[in-house]
Amino acid sequence: MKTATSDKKVPKILQFWIGLYRSSPKLYLPGTDIDFGFSLRCAFLFSALRIIFRHVLYSFGWDHSYDTIFASACLASICHSTLLLPGLLAMLLSQKYVPSAKLQDSPQWYQDAMHALLGFCTGYMIYDSFMGYIVEVWQPGKGPVLSADDWMFLAHHILTTLYMTSSRWIKAGHISAMVLMYNGEFSAPVMNLHFVLEKAMEQDCYKDATWLPTLFTYNEQVFSLLYIICRVVVSPFVIGHVSYDLLFRGRKNVPLWLSISWMPMCWGVQFGSIPWIYTCIDTLKNGPLMNGAVAHGEL
């Protein structure tokens, strides 16, 4: 008997996610059919990966400072986005693009793949909230001490988790979550590599690495260009269409009150990226891609 994961219509990249999700023991949220156990396992794996990356950097000569902790978090984020993006693209291309579409209208393999990918991303949000904003900022006698930026990122993680979980709960609007995730994560691998290289240049173990500043400069240019394309050129159209579909065309599938509650989550990241957009514009204006200069150093 042919299974759903062996069906020729199932993209190969999704067969991995479907098999992983189906083989994972289920732990449902009370009163729902949403499996939260998959997300918790992913959160545990990301936590372990973050610690492993930290000790790998220590072995390369990185100092025992916040910069190394931050770089290890960036490496874990690179793993998250590079695994997530191909699966999201396959999902968005495999079904008709309707942000407010019902999940029941899709085949079972698609439903399982959706739960796997959104559960995987939810696990990342849980892990990063716990490790980054509790464990690594904990001060004896005070508890977690968070900066204004920390609170902003924590709010992003909570709202993103609520968006993904609520779309799984009502079995509709999952495509809106996936397309926003895809656009938001597209520049993440290059962005996090930028952060790692930036921290590496401050390490004594790389003070004689003449190639590092050159690599950093060109990565910074690529990241800035990619970020501007994603946030300035693509995002307004993607978020605008998602908003229109949810608020007007998709009322039968997604309750209006829920669509309205999703709007700050849709647009909040876009407005929050404005400072970074200006930073990236300045970087391009002053960098080798715009003025024709060549970065000094070796590669």
Side-chain angles (χ1 to χ4, degrees):
M1 180 178 178
K2 183 170 67 174
T3 63
T5 53
S6 65
D7 195 307
K8 293 181 179 179
K9 294 181 180 179
V10 182
K12 290 187 179 299
I13 186 65
L14 294 180
Q15 293 179 19
F16 162 77
W17 289 104
I18 295 168
L20 193 64
Y21 179 74
R22 290 179 178 176
S23 63
S24 176
K26 301 297 183 283
L27 178 64
Y28 297 102
L29 284 176
T32 75
D33 59 353
I34 299 175
D35 172 35
F36 210 63
F38 186 77
S39 297
L40 293 178
R41 292 180 185 89
C42 292
F44 175 80
L45 289 174
F46 274 117
S47 299
L49 193 63
R50 185 168 178 149
I51 295 171
I52 291 171
F53 277 136
R54 187 192 309 169
H55 286 278
V56 169
L57 294 177
Y58 289 156
S59 71
F60 285 147
W62 288 56
D63 55 32
H64 290 243
S65 67
Y66 173 77
D67 285 352
T68 304
I69 294 175
F70 179 76
S72 65
C74 292
L75 291 172
S77 181
I78 290 173
C79 293
H80 166 254
S81 53
T82 52
L83 286 171
L84 186 65
L85 285 168
L88 289 176
L89 180 61
M91 290 289 284
L92 293 170
L93 295 177
S94 64
Q95 302 289 304
K96 182 179 179 181
Y97 177 69
V98 180
S100 59
K102 290 183 178 180
L103 183 61
Q104 293 96 322
D105 296 337
S106 301
Q108 187 61 47
W109 64 262
Y110 179 92
Q111 297 183 35
D112 290 340
M114 184 278 296
H115 285 300
L117 290 167
L118 267 61
F120 177 75
C121 188
T122 299
Y124 175 83
M125 297 299 168
I126 294 171
Y127 129 81
D128 199 43
S129 298
F130 178 72
M131 291 291 290
Y133 306 112
I134 297 179
V135 175
E136 294 175 349
V137 295
W138 188 277
Q139 294 186 12
K142 295 182 179 180
V145 178
L146 304 178
S147 67
D149 286 343
D150 289 338
W151 282 110
M152 181 182 67
F153 282 111
L154 184 59
H156 164 268
H157 287 7
I158 293 172
L159 292 175
T160 300
T161 298
L162 289 175
Y163 195 134
M164 292 186 291
T165 304
S166 58
S167 69
R168 296 172 66 188
W169 174 52
I170 67 168
K171 296 179 173 59
H174 53 283
I175 293 180
S176 72
M178 289 191 293
V179 73
L180 292 173
M181 288 162 56
Y182 185 79
N183 185 63
E185 290 289 331
F186 195 82
S187 60
V190 182
M191 182 180 195
N192 281 283
L193 178 59
H194 165 75
F195 292 145
V196 173
L197 294 174
E198 184 179 47
K199 298 303 181 184
M201 289 194 300
E202 299 174 7
Q203 298 295 314
D204 290 338
C205 58
Y206 293 116
K207 63 182 180 180
D208 296 326
T210 57
W211 51 268
L212 187 56
T214 305
L215 179 59
F216 172 80
T217 297
Y218 283 113
N219 173 265
E220 186 180 45
Q221 293 290 290
V222 172
F223 156 63
S224 298
L225 180 60
L226 188 60
Y227 193 85
I228 290 172
I229 291 173
C230 290
R231 301 292 180 170
V232 178
V233 180
V234 179
S235 278
F237 293 100
V238 171
I239 302 174
H241 181 261
V242 166
S243 301
Y244 172 77
D245 185 77
L246 289 174
L247 293 173
F248 299 100
R249 295 173 55 189
R251 291 188 181 183
K252 292 182 179 179
N253 299 337
V254 181
L256 182 59
W257 68 266
L258 186 57
S259 293
I260 293 174
S261 72
W262 284 352
M263 290 302 105
M265 308 178 205
C266 292
W267 290 98
V269 174
Q270 179 65 17
F271 285 109
S273 66
I274 290 176
W276 265 108
I277 291 172
Y278 280 111
T279 298
C280 289
I281 291 173
D282 289 339
T283 299
L284 288 176
K285 287 168 60 177
N286 299 321
L289 292 183
M290 294 291 289
N291 58 35
V294 179
H296 297 289
E298 301 175 358
L299 278 177

